Amino acid sequence: MIHLATLLFAYAGFVAICLSMAKHQPEILGRKLTAKEHKQLRIGGPLGLGASYASAVVASGWKFGSVNWIGAVMLAALSLTLLLPYRPKWTAPAGAGAAFVGGMLLASAALLSIK
Amino acid sequence: MNGSFRQSMAWLHTWTGLVFGWVLFAMFMTGTATYFRPEITRWMEPETGPPASYGATANAAVAHLSKVAPKAKSWSITLPDERQGVTRVSWQPERKPGEERPRRRGRGQNQATLDAATGEVVKARDTRGGEFFYRFHFQLHYMPVIFGRWMAGLCAMFMLVAIVSGVITHKRIFKDFFTFRPKKTAQRSWLDAHNLTAVLALPFHAMITYTGLVTLMGLYMPWGVQANYKSDQAYFAEVFPQSEEIPRSGVAAPLAPLPLILHKASDAWGGGRPWIVNVSNPGDATARVEVTRHSGDKLSYRGGSLTFDGVTGAMISESPKAGPVNVTGGAMYGLHMGRFADPVLRWFYFLASLAGCAMVATGLVLWTVKRRQQLPDPEKPYFGFRLVERLNIGTIAGVPAGMAAMLWANRLLPVEMAGRSAWEVNAVFVGWGGMILWATLRPTRKAWVETLSAAAFLVAALPFVSALTTQRNLARSLMTGDWAMLAFDLTLFALGGLLAFCAWKAARYTAPVKPKRRAAKLAEEPA
């Protein structure tokens, strides 16, 4: 479960990074970002990758977690890059959805471990 | 090789990539398969049952060995695990006085395979199983082992050169991080695909190439060891300590119950799994039982071992704690092998490794794509171009086809055939060589489409071949909950589908007939 959260957070993080790059904004959003949005995404991207790493470490410890995380990061970047040329408009909503579902997974895992 | 630093790096990348590319592709493909080595072996030994826990047949293994080799010098028992359904036992006969201690335990005739559930001897067909792909990916085949390892090491070294020079050559590594433009010109799309598979899985490629070289560093760079140890034996004795030999006392004593010893070992490791059990002087008062920890338990490949008194079952000693250098080496080995990986991570490894295959393949194709436009006469390319093109087709379609051919041979060759396992291996090269031959006899486009289709068929038809010739089939795997074999068949379908997709793409591809007009048209389109 947390493995999936690791992957989803990484995907969301990459969507934010991708969106903060000027060349990808027109194809994904059909417009340029405002300065404020740009700033938010610049923070959001590393935050997503950081959350992904944190979830991997929580799930498997820092040794195995680090290896898992690198795997998840590669897979997330690959899926975004392959989705981008074919369904550019889907990438951003998918990123938001991934962040949400990842958060829910992590929250439910935390609740289960408390009980 | 004139020009700027980046240009010379581009030159280096192009030519090392090309010259070593075909062997590297085969090494990457077989190495990728090796992540599922136990599953491949299970598939190729359809007589064996499902995986079992390590303790299930410890007693049966001892009973079998007591029957066939009661007076052996030593017994070796490889326990089943969650991926293997057999217990492999072997024994070393007592040596005649004055005979040297063999450096590696000879297997030969002194071995048996036991069913993990029943403990009965399993007569499995003669096959090398997943072991062949594993061996091939670092020592190749049809040549002396040492020579093969040097060849593979040379290829891996140049792979590392290609990775480093490739990163330097890539001008827009961050700007083009998410860029894949499948609808642009051939060269653009192939370059994007090459960059994509290379950059996004770069941590894996760099890790796997570097750690791969590290696993054989003793062979490639022996000088450190030579400078610090009197002999190779002294080095091995320190890095891989072996318990010293004790002569038999001649006093008979029964062996302590093995399950008890395994239980103690597991407790000592905080729940770790025993994997290999070595019993020296079985049936004697001096019996010793050495239990080696499962390599899948820890990141480091060297799991450590515990030694027990074979009669009382009391723990005697623990293998010495490894020093930092040894731990580092073990961790690199472990990272390369991925034995520690749970199923999810194992699939990551497999996919990243497939991306590596794709990186090598796209790089090879790119060489021809780039040069095709500059050909003076596209209808009659020069010899070097034709050679590269044919070897590309024959290898990219041929290696998967050859690997599938081995699995076909495993199912179709008569079980009693002499030299059966060797012929299974020959099938790999008959398949690969056949594809190269096919590629040379047909026009380029047809060669791509036909060889890729043939490879797709060979791979995707395997579950059906298996269902027709053995008890193993999709429905049975599903009914008995044998998820590994179910996944194996489904993966074959998926890989066959992937090859079929490539064939379909190759068939549909329309070459730009008039490059100038096409370029003009592209310029009009919104970027």
Side-chain angles (χ1 to χ4, degrees):
Chain A
M1 275 245 287
I2 306 189
H3 281 319
L4 191 61
T6 305
L7 185 66
L8 291 172
F9 281 137
Y11 178 81
F14 275 129
V15 168
I17 291 172
C18 184
L19 262 178
S20 69
M21 291 162 76
K23 71 180 268 196
H24 292 296
Q25 286 161 12
E27 59 177 330
I28 298 176
L29 296 176
R31 65 179 173 90
K32 291 271 177 194
L33 288 176
T34 63
K36 195 181 161 199
E37 285 170 326
H38 181 78
K39 204 173 173 186
Q40 285 168 342
L41 285 169
R42 284 297 288 268
I43 300 165
L47 210 65
L49 293 181
S52 167
Y53 183 62
S55 69
V57 170
V58 166
S60 330
W62 72 266
K63 258 194 235 165
F64 294 113
S66 303
V67 181
N68 284 351
W69 179 68
I70 290 173
V73 162
M74 293 191 304
L75 207 60
L78 193 69
S79 32
L80 172 58
T81 312
L82 287 179
L83 191 60
L84 206 51
Y86 299 101
R87 293 283 181 275
K89 297 272 188 283
W90 292 9
T91 51
F100 178 73
V101 175
M104 296 303 279
L105 281 174
L106 215 56
S108 55
L111 276 177
L112 282 174
S113 69
I114 289 168
K115 279 178 184 172
Chain B
M1 235 182 109
N2 295 320
S4 71
F5 178 59
R6 185 165 266 156
Q7 275 171 329
S8 16
M9 283 295 133
W11 181 93
L12 187 65
H13 184 80
T14 303
W15 293 100
T16 53
L18 181 73
V19 172
F20 297 95
W22 298 296
V23 184
L24 277 171
F25 183 73
M27 285 167 65
F28 251 98
M29 284 292 285
T30 48
T32 305
T34 300
Y35 286 118
F36 292 108
R37 172 159 52 141
E39 285 78 12
I40 294 174
T41 304
R42 266 197 70 207
W43 193 91
M44 292 177 81
E45 289 180 341
E47 297 83 1
T48 62
S53 72
Y54 64 83
T57 46
N59 278 331
V62 170
H64 178 81
L65 285 164
S66 310
K67 203 171 68 194
V68 297
K71 290 272 183 266
K73 171 88 205 132
S74 64
W75 296 340
S76 176
I77 304 167
T78 305
L79 298 165
D81 58 21
E82 75 287 355
R83 298 172 72 187
Q84 294 179 98
V86 291
T87 310
R88 293 187 200 275
V89 298
S90 62
W91 58 94
Q92 188 75 44
E94 192 71 57
R95 290 195 309 275
K96 292 169 193 89
E99 208 176 340
E100 281 278 306
R101 180 182 185 160
R103 224 180 107 185
R104 292 193 113 200
R105 285 182 187 85
R107 281 241 167 154
Q109 294 299 308
N110 303 335
Q111 59 168 329
T113 303
L114 309 178
D115 187 283
T118 62
E120 302 283 326
V121 174
V122 186
K123 276 257 169 276
R125 57 190 61 199
D126 178 25
T127 178
R128 291 186 63 190
E131 187 71 12
F132 169 72
F133 295 138
Y134 166 67
R135 292 277 157 193
F136 178 84
H137 101 280
F138 65 89
Q139 65 192 26
L140 311 178
H141 195 64
Y142 295 129
M143 59 185 84
V145 168
I146 290 297
F147 185 70
R149 288 185 183 187
W150 273 105
M151 285 273 293
L154 194 71
C155 290
M157 197 66 226
F158 278 102
M159 176 84 209
L160 207 55
V161 168
I163 287 175
V164 174
S165 59
V167 169
I168 297 169
T169 309
H170 192 1
K171 277 171 264 181
R172 297 152 58 90
I173 200 161
F174 290 111
K175 268 190 173 165
D176 280 353
F177 198 78
F178 299 109
T179 305
F180 178 45
R181 290 158 288 190
K183 287 163 196 140
K184 294 257 175 159
T185 57
Q187 186 176 341
R188 191 70 256 172
S189 308
W190 279 107
L191 184 60
D192 277 350
H194 185 57
N195 289 341
L196 184 78
T197 47
V199 173
L200 296 187
L202 186 62
F204 175 82
H205 301 325
M207 179 280 284
I208 210 71
T209 311
Y210 184 75
T211 55
L213 282 164
V214 166
T215 58
L216 288 176
M217 67 182 173
L219 174 67
Y220 303 137
M221 290 188 164
W223 309 292
V225 171
Q226 281 169 3
N228 289 297
Y229 292 88
K230 287 199 181 91
S231 66
D232 278 2
Q233 278 78 10
Y235 165 72
F236 281 112
E238 189 169 331
V239 179
F240 310 103
Q242 284 194 329
S243 50
E244 66 183 293
E245 278 187 48
I246 306 167
R248 267 179 185 270
S249 66
V251 181
L255 196 69
L258 192 53
L260 183 78
I261 292 178
L262 295 182
H263 191 75
K264 280 186 185 173
S266 178
D267 275 353
W269 288 321
R273 290 169 295 166
W275 187 31
I276 297 170
V277 179
N278 272 301
V279 182
S280 55
N281 299 345
D284 192 81
T286 56
R288 290 276 183 281
V289 179
E290 188 194 6
V291 184
T292 305
R293 191 170 181 178
H294 197 283
S295 64
D297 264 6
K298 291 164 78 179
L299 186 60
S300 171
Y301 192 69
R302 291 157 197 162
S305 66
L306 300 172
T307 307
F308 295 85
D309 187 301
V311 179
T312 64
M315 203 208 294
I316 301 174
S317 66
E318 196 175 341
S319 61
K321 283 257 178 297
V325 174
N326 207 349
V327 167
T328 310
M332 285 197 182
Y333 200 9
L335 263 181
H336 188 92
M337 307 280 282
R339 290 292 297 264
F340 63 88
D342 57 25
V344 176
L345 185 60
R346 188 168 307 123
W347 279 97
F348 276 156
Y349 260 99
F350 181 74
L351 290 174
S353 199
L354 267 186
C357 303
M359 167 183 71
V360 179
T362 50
L364 285 169
V365 171
L366 195 54
W367 191 93
T368 56
V369 167
K370 247 179 161 170
R371 277 155 192 80
R372 190 184 306 283
Q373 291 151 342
Q374 294 146 15
L375 287 175
D377 178 5
E379 295 301 313
K380 283 189 186 129
Y382 53 93
F383 173 75
F385 185 90
R386 287 207 310 268
L387 179 76
V388 170
E389 192 173 57
R390 302 298 145 170
L391 278 174
N392 280 354
I393 302 170
T395 300
I396 292 169
V399 173
M403 289 167 76
M406 184 177 180
L407 301 188
W408 276 72
N410 175 267
R411 288 299 193 253
L412 296 183
L413 292 179
V415 174
E416 296 306 323
M417 179 180 172
R420 189 176 189 287
S421 62
W423 274 103
E424 279 183 15
V425 171
N426 291 340
V428 175
F429 300 96
V430 171
W432 183 3
M435 286 296 173
I436 292 179
L437 190 69
W438 192 341
T440 53
L441 297 177
R442 302 287 287 163
T444 310
R445 168 81 71 95
K446 289 206 168 88
W448 272 118
V449 176
E450 289 167 6
T451 53
L452 283 170
S453 307
F457 169 76
L458 283 174
V459 173
L462 274 166
F464 300 108
V465 177
S466 179
L468 289 175
T469 52
T470 66
Q471 297 291 315
R472 287 265 177 83
N473 59 55
L474 258 174
R476 198 182 145 98
S477 300
L478 192 63
M479 304 273 272
T480 55
D482 193 347
W483 307 125
M485 287 301 105
L486 184 73
F488 197 102
D489 282 357
L490 294 179
T491 306
L492 286 172
F493 284 141
L495 292 175
L498 196 65
L499 286 162
F501 176 74
C502 294
W504 179 69
K505 279 298 230 189
R508 253 186 26 146
Y509 172 71
T510 42
V513 188
K514 287 172 186 166
K516 273 183 189 166
R517 264 185 65 191
R518 195 179 156 83
K521 210 179 124 212
L522 279 172
E524 281 166 23
E525 283 176 6

